[in-house]
């Protein structure tokens, strides 16, 4: 068996955390001996790990300013402190601290993989968890393979670091059968008004996710006489601010904050439209899940969306990343029920591409290939 460690910051309610759990839960455990290690314990996604997956945590609680504190130690010192066992393959499943720690592995027989989930855009962002650019370049160069979740993420990585490391694209794993089954569950009475056009967004309520943009578009639609409602599924530090805005503008009935849902699919499947308004993404898990349940997608252009929906809007609508363009995209679907129906059909078709079987098989083949290079 191939002994593998996946290191991640935590198993909170983020996209990377969720897809890591999906991936390891569906890998062939007759071939792979898997350990998931979180730098910081807890997080809603920990509960979903299969019992057969080993789980470890370096620290019980998140330490404020942990990234700065970790810079006091070198990657080799961090690795020696935190990674006690020998593994055939060690995977840094996020940028930053995880990559810095794994890059410090002193065992030349261990293969190292860096898994990049987001566009980092510039040197400053890419190096924020490292002492400087020189250290960041040295750390990423220590890996035997870089995996990116989208072509745009790969292009971004290589534009910042001129790496000679083999780099490839592997799409995120979604548990498609479970998602489809869960989407059929009923929702509470009154959660969705049947006589309204209902659109939704899913994710942590942070400024980067653009829920404020969605709420302002909802206000504009209401002011123009459209009978619409917006569902927001998630929690986060910006929620109180957005709820206050809705209260001040008389929108508490037409914007519903449904909180974190272990089964968001039953809501998304019953909405007319899923919208992503993020300022940045890697390869959106929530948008992929919307396609799997057959809900049309309208999104601003962020990493991975044109790969997902087509360069010419074959499977959904991708707008420029600004408020006006997104508003026009949403409005075009409200005004044209036949176009919305077209994209519902196309969503169902595209969702099949991201089946669990296909994405897990691609990862397993990559891991076996890396292992054979030992």
């Amino acid at each position: 068996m191939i002994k593998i460690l996946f290191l991640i910051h935590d198993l909170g309610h983020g996209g990377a955390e969720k897809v890591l759990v999906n991936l390891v839960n569906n890998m062939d455990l007759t071939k792979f001996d898997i350990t998931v290690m979180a730098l910081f314990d807890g997080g809603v996604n920990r509960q979903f790990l299969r019992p057969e997956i080993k789980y470890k945590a370096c620290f019980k609680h998140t330490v404020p300013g942990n990234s700065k504190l970790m810079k006091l130690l070198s990657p080799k010192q961090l690795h020696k402190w935190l990674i006690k066992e020998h593994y055939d393959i060690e995977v840094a499943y996020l940028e930053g601290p995880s990559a810095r720690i794994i890059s410090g592995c002193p065992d030349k027989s261990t293969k190292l993989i860096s898994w990049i989930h987001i566009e980092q855009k510039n040197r400053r962002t890419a190096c924020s968890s490292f002492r400087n650019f020189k250290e960041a370049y040295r750390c990423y160069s220590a890996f035997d393979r870089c995996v990116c979740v989208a072509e745009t993420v790969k292009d971004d990585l290589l534009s910042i670091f001129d790496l000679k490391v083999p780099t490839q694209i592997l799409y995120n794993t979604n548990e498609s059968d479970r998602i489809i089954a869960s989407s059929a569950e009923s929702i509470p009475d009154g959660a969705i008004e049947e006589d309204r056009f209902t659109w939704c967004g899913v994710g942590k309520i942070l400024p980067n996710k653009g829920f404020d943009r969605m709420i302002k578009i909802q206000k504009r639609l209401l002011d123009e006489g459209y009978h619409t409602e917006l569902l927001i599924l998630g929690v986060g530090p910006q929620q109180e601010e957005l709820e206050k805005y809705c209260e001040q503008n008389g929108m508490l009935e037409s914007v519903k904050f449904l909180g974190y849902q272990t089964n968001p699919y039953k809501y998304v499947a019953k909405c007319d439209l899923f919208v992503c308004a993020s300022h940045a993404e890697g390869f959106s898990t929530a948008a992929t899940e919307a396609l799997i349940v057959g809900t049309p997608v309208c999104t601003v252009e962020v990493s991975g969306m044109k790969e997902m929906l087509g360069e010419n809007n074959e499977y959904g609508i991708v707008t420029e990343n600004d408020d006006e363009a997104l508003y026009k995209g949403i409005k075009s679907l409200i005004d044209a029920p036949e176009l919305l129906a077209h994209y519902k059909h196309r969503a169902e078709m595209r969702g099949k591409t991201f089946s669990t079987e296909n994405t897990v098989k691609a990862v397993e083949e990559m891991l076996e290939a890396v292992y054979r290079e030992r």
Side-chain angles (χ1 to χ4, degrees), residues 241-260:
E241 171 194 334
L242 297 184
E243 287 179 324
K244 185 175 181 181
Y245 177 90
C246 291
E247 182 179 7
Q248 292 171 342
N249 288 276
M251 299 169 63
L252 288 179
E253 290 187 0
S254 66
V255 178
K256 297 177 181 177
F257 292 84
L258 300 182
Y260 172 76

Side-chain angles (χ1 to χ4, degrees), residues 197 271-274 291 293-297 313-317 329-350:
F197 181 97
C271 287
D272 297 294
L273 180 67
F274 172 90
L291 294 175
V293 302
T295 298
V297 174
N313 293 343
E314 289 91 343
Y315 299 102
I317 291 182
I330 294 169
K331 187 172 178 291
S332 71
L333 292 168
I334 298 174
D335 289 339
E338 69 283 356
L339 183 62
L340 188 69
H342 166 75
Y343 278 121
K344 181 172 180 60
H345 174 65
R346 299 295 285 176
E348 292 168 352
M349 290 178 59
R350 186 59 170 157

Side-chain angles (χ1 to χ4, degrees), residues 140 147 155 206 283 354 362:
Y140 282 116
V147 173
D155 292 344
L206 297 167
F283 195 85
F354 304 106

Side-chain angles (χ1 to χ4, degrees), residues 78-104:
L78 286 168
H79 192 281
K80 183 178 179 180
W81 178 29
L82 300 173
I83 314 297
K84 307 296 185 185
E85 293 185 43
H86 167 80
Y87 297 92
D88 298 314
I89 300 174
E90 294 183 9
V91 181
Y93 202 73
L94 270 178
E95 315 77 28
S98 297
R100 190 167 182 266
I101 293 166
I102 295 299
S103 72

